[in-house]
Amino acid sequence: LRLFTTGAVGYSLLEIFWRGYTHWTMFVLGGLCFYSLYHIFFLLDGCPLFVKAISGGALITIAEFTVGLIVNVKLHWNVWNYSSVPYNIMGQICLYYSALWALLCVPLSYFCSFLRQYIR
């Protein structure tokens, strides 16, 4: 629950900082992503940092695509739309944000290592 909440709040605050607002679905997505990242980084312990970054960025991109298909395409909630960004897929994900997610996973991998010392 602590991992989920950390990710949910962190993701929501990041989105508010980046675009000025968020949606409750991003709270849930952020929590699920951080919970998953924490465990993936644990499994990849000892791997080079770029492997963790690429893996984490891929995980977030896949999660964002999946949620986007549900909330934006199926339910028509229009939470986000990357159609105007180059190299997008169905307006749900794009290369630019996938790269940013991978970069964000660099400090997140260190943060997860720090948390691992205190969460057992």
Side-chain angles (χ1 to χ4, degrees), residues 23-25 66-79 92:
H23 188 265
W24 70 265
T25 56
T66 303
V67 171
L69 290 178
I70 296 166
V71 302
N72 295 325
V73 176
K74 184 168 177 63
L75 298 175
H76 305 287
W77 289 354
N78 301 317
V79 177
Q92 303 310 302

Side-chain angles (χ1 to χ4, degrees), residues 9-58:
V9 171
Y11 194 101
S12 297
L13 290 174
L14 180 66
E15 190 168 50
I16 291 168
F17 173 76
W18 188 260
R19 69 179 190 157
Y21 62 96
T22 192
H23 188 265
W24 70 265
T25 56
M26 299 299 93
F27 183 86
V28 174
L29 179 59
L32 292 173
C33 282
F34 187 72
Y35 181 85
S36 300
L37 287 172
Y38 178 86
H39 293 289
I40 285 175
F41 292 154
F42 177 75
L43 292 173
L44 295 175
D45 194 35
C47 288
L49 186 57
F50 79 91
V51 171
K52 293 178 182 179
I54 297 297
S55 299

